[in-house]
């Protein structure tokens, strides 16, 4: 157990105490499904955690469901426009993309060695199709022909 959490098969579970009932309990963290467990001792709580993970995975398999996975590697952070701009500029100054810059900062803050940076590029290609409807082309009248010839001669002189 590290920092009041258990780890098993990539799942993380809490270890908490209810002083009133004098029981130990926990739940799987960072997933949307609610999976809880309890025990009378720390070793019993850890065993209940592992059993809860195994039961959860087996129940999902039996039901044909995909189990929820904790900490998938992406999350949104709302920092406001000023911090967003300042971080983007800082990343640009040292030649990094915003994602890589933030990943490095988070790894440094948590003393975690970054293993891989994943840059997600999102691009939109827009094609615009314009259909113009024009009247049918007809032969110019003699007056229009004379006008276009005059314009052509004037342009040729200049």
């Amino acid at each position: 157990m590290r920092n009041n959490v258990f780890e098993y098969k990539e799942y993380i579970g809490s270890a908490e105490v209810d002083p009133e009932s004098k029981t130990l309990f926990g739940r799987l963290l960072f997933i949307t499904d609610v999976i809880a467990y309890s025990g009378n001792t720390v070793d019993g709580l850890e065993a209940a955690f592992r059993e809860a993970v195994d039961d959860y995975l087996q129940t999902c398999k039996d039901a044909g469901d995909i189990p929820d996975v904790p900490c998938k590697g992406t999350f949104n952070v709302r920092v406001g426009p000023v911090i967003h701009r300042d971080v983007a500029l800082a990343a640009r100054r040292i030649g990094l993309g915003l994602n890589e810059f933030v990943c490095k900062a988070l790894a440094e803050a948590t003393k975690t060695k970054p293993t891989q940076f994943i840059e997600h590029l999102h691009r939109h290609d827009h094609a615009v199709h314009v259909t113009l409807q024009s009247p049918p082309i007809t032969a110019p009248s003699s007056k229009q022909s004379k006008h276009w010839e005059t314009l052509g001669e004037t342009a040729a002189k200049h």
Side-chain angles (χ1 to χ4, degrees):
M1 182 167 66
R2 184 178 80 185
N3 297 323
N4 293 345
V5 295
F6 299 112
E7 295 180 42
Y8 175 65
K9 293 186 177 180
E10 298 186 22
Y11 286 86
I12 302 168
S14 65
E16 302 178 47
V17 177
D18 180 358
E20 257 183 51
S21 65
K22 299 185 188 304
T23 58
L24 301 172
F25 67 96
R27 67 179 186 87
L28 298 188
L29 300 174
F30 313 120
I31 64 172
T32 55
D33 295 322
V34 178
I35 310 297
Y37 46 89
S38 63
N40 294 325
T41 65
V42 173
D43 288 340
L45 186 63
E46 183 174 15
F49 159 70
R50 290 172 179 265
E51 185 179 328
V53 170
D54 290 336
D55 286 349
Y56 174 63
L57 295 174
Q58 188 62 49
T59 300
C60 288
K61 183 178 177 181
D62 292 347
D65 292 336
I66 298 172
D68 199 1
V69 179
C71 302
K72 295 169 185 72
T74 62
F75 63 97
N76 293 322
V77 179
R78 289 171 284 289
V79 295
V82 173
I83 292 174
H84 187 171
R85 182 200 64 221
D86 291 349
V87 171
L89 288 170
R92 182 180 174 90
R93 275 194 295 274
I94 61 173
L96 295 177
L98 183 60
N99 188 67
E100 187 174 8
F101 182 86
V102 171
C103 286
K104 284 186 176 197
L106 293 173
E108 185 177 312
T110 60
K111 312 246 184 308
T112 303
K113 183 178 178 185
T115 55
Q116 176 184 13
F117 292 108
I118 300 171
E119 184 72 30
H120 172 78
L121 299 176
H122 190 83
R123 196 176 118 208
H124 290 275
D125 289 325
H126 296 278
V128 178
H129 299 281
V130 178
T131 303
L132 297 176
Q133 297 235 346
S134 60
I137 299 174
T138 57
S141 66
S142 60
K143 186 176 181 180
Q144 288 172 326
S145 292
K146 191 68 170 161
H147 175 72
W148 287 110
E149 287 173 16
T150 305
L151 285 175
E153 290 169 7
T154 305
K157 288 181 187 174
H158 295 286

